[in-house]
Amino acid sequence: MALETGGNGPGGARPGLLNLEQLRVATRDGSVDTVVLAFTDMQGRLQGKRLSAEFFLEEVAEHFSEGCNYLLAVDVDMNTVDGYAMSSWDRGYGDFVMAPDMATLRWVPWHEGTALVIADLTWLDGGPVVASPRQVLKAQTARLAARGWTAMTGTELEFIVYQDSYEQAAAKDYRDLVPANQYNVDYSILGTSRIEPLLRRIRVQMAGAGLYVESAKGECNLGQHEIAFRYADAVTTCDNHSIYKTGAKEIAAQDGNSITFMAKPNAREGNSCHIHLSLRGPDGTPVLAGDGPYGLSELGEHFLAGQLAAMREFALCYAPNINSYKRYVPGSFAPTSVRWGPDNRTCALRLVGHGSSLRVENRVPGGDVNPYLAVAAMIAAGLHGIDNELPLDPPMTGNAYADTTARVPHTLRDALELWEKSGLAADSFGTEVVEHYANYAKVELTAYDAAVTDWELRRGFERL
């Protein structure tokens, strides 16, 4: 996903996007009868409402809808949990406002008669819900905008396709599932052709929803694939990421298949979400690229140094779940060492591209990442490096798996401790955001610590 200037990059209206007048016409002629109003929650899922198109146009489009604020204070099973300042039984579980961002209005081709719009979350007095992932990212892009800079971002999500439906997978307790491919199909045209009908449907229908599809390729794990999309500004990319992730699951389910974006669904290669990021100036000129070593500008060196300096403290933004940390295995193409290198896939940070396309690829996030939080963390880390003129360590030119000087945290518990102690996190995001996502991790750890796993039963039922 080259971040070159010009061409069909960010800024132009894509086919599949709608404006308000087009929605009115489509509603009158019956092409649209439903509008999905959605936001991305802490777990990276789209949550919201399906509204009649008539009601949306009359009441919501220029105003708002409301939803229970517990949607940013639940676990993955939608259980209410303690510890969130913004939402609790004591506070009555009131509402927040879902204000549609009409620039995100689009068709949803995989659902008949349906459009979708992303919402920003505010309180009833108009103040932002600062712990909402989209608002966390917007706060960081505003810091860039104050300097005249824009973050250009691309995310690369890997997933595994199973022939089992989601219902069949659950009935089998997610054991003995049948992957769509029975061998490593990394870059294999033959292997990917075996499920091309599904991959093509996802690509075509995502394009119909206004996303710019670049390519699809096979990956290493059995049934593992990746569909790549063109870069855009940070918020647009994260909106598209969330729409794609939900849509791909919905399309697979309609075809009787299932898709998982889990970071580590089995003992083979995990699902990554490599995040590419560069900065542009007011006239579109690259900020990170220059005539220094490896094509970096002085600001680019500081930006990259900031990524390294904050990587461990911000790991919770890149790896938010228990399972996330099981992906970091030597020799798996998932990083274990906090090092950088030019075009070096063993490093946490890979410098790729040339000239105007020069960018940082963060290889730490997995497929379970919340993109808004991860990109916000990358921006905050880079600004920390720039503001403090941090020097850039020499690159890793060999095998970073052999390096043990600074490691990606081993567990969610380790990442939580680093996050809570981080003055940089508090300065960058505010204590409300830090405490909110620390509680998210604590909830997950408490649930995991209480669970009796298959591993324990196999080892202990008879022999212990």
Side-chain angles (χ1 to χ4, degrees), residues 347-381:
C347 297
L349 297 172
R350 174 177 170 238
L351 189 67
V352 290
H354 306 280
S356 63
S357 72
L358 188 76
R359 62 198 185 274
V360 177
E361 178 192 58
N362 187 341
R363 298 178 63 81
V364 174
D368 60 341
V369 73
N370 187 316
Y372 299 96
L373 302 180
V375 175
M378 290 183 70
I379 293 170

Side-chain angles (χ1 to χ4, degrees), residues 139-262:
Q140 298 305 312
T141 58
R143 294 177 66 196
L144 290 177
R147 304 168 191 236
W149 297 341
T150 302
M152 308 308 297
T153 309
T155 60
E156 297 177 326
L157 264 174
E158 294 173 350
F159 56 86
I160 296 176
V161 181
Y162 292 100
Q163 294 180 9
D164 312 81
S165 70
Y166 284 110
E167 291 74 20
Q168 290 167 337
K172 294 165 72 172
D173 286 333
Y174 305 99
R175 300 188 190 95
D176 302 320
L177 304 184
V178 181
N181 300 97
Q182 302 301 312
Y183 55 90
N184 181 329
V185 296
D186 193 24
Y187 287 95
S188 169
I189 298 301
L190 174 63
T192 53
S193 70
R194 300 293 294 273
I195 61 165
E196 171 60 6
L198 174 61
L199 297 178
R200 181 179 182 275
R201 186 179 171 211
I202 293 173
R203 295 196 310 270
V204 169
Q205 296 196 325
M206 289 302 142
L211 280 67
Y212 186 151
V213 181
E214 287 192 352
S215 62
K217 66 176 289 291
E219 293 287 348
C220 299
N221 203 334
L222 305 187
Q224 189 177 46
H225 297 263
E226 173 188 291
I227 298 175
F229 296 85
R230 193 166 177 81
Y231 73 95
D233 68 90
V235 174
T236 297
T237 287
C238 293
D239 290 344
N240 290 347
H241 175 119
S242 298
I243 292 166
Y244 159 58
K245 191 172 181 181
T246 295
K249 291 179 181 180
E250 292 174 342
I251 292 168
Q254 290 171 3
D255 284 359
N257 299 117
S258 57
I259 282 176
T260 184
F261 293 93
M262 277 184 69

Side-chain angles (χ1 to χ4, degrees), residues 408-442:
V408 175
H410 289 293
T411 66
L412 181 62
R413 204 177 306 275
D414 295 338
L416 170 61
E417 182 178 359
L418 289 162
W419 174 254
E420 286 193 297
K421 291 180 178 179
S422 173
L424 177 58
D427 291 343
S428 299
F429 305 111
T431 55
E432 182 177 348
V433 170
V434 170
E435 291 171 0
H436 195 89
Y437 287 96
N439 195 64
Y440 173 98
K442 291 174 183 176

Side-chain angles (χ1 to χ4, degrees), residues 67-71 86-88 91-96 123-124:
C68 181
N69 61 35
Y70 96 128
L71 292 169
M86 62 170 274
S87 181
S88 66
R91 294 176 63 92
Y93 283 118
D95 280 347
F96 46 43
W123 297 112
L124 295 175

Side-chain angles (χ1 to χ4, degrees), residues 1 16 29 49 96 136 183 268 278 319 398:
M1 57 180 66
D29 69 20
K49 300 178 178 181
F96 46 43
V136 172
Y183 55 90
R268 290 179 62 99
S278 70

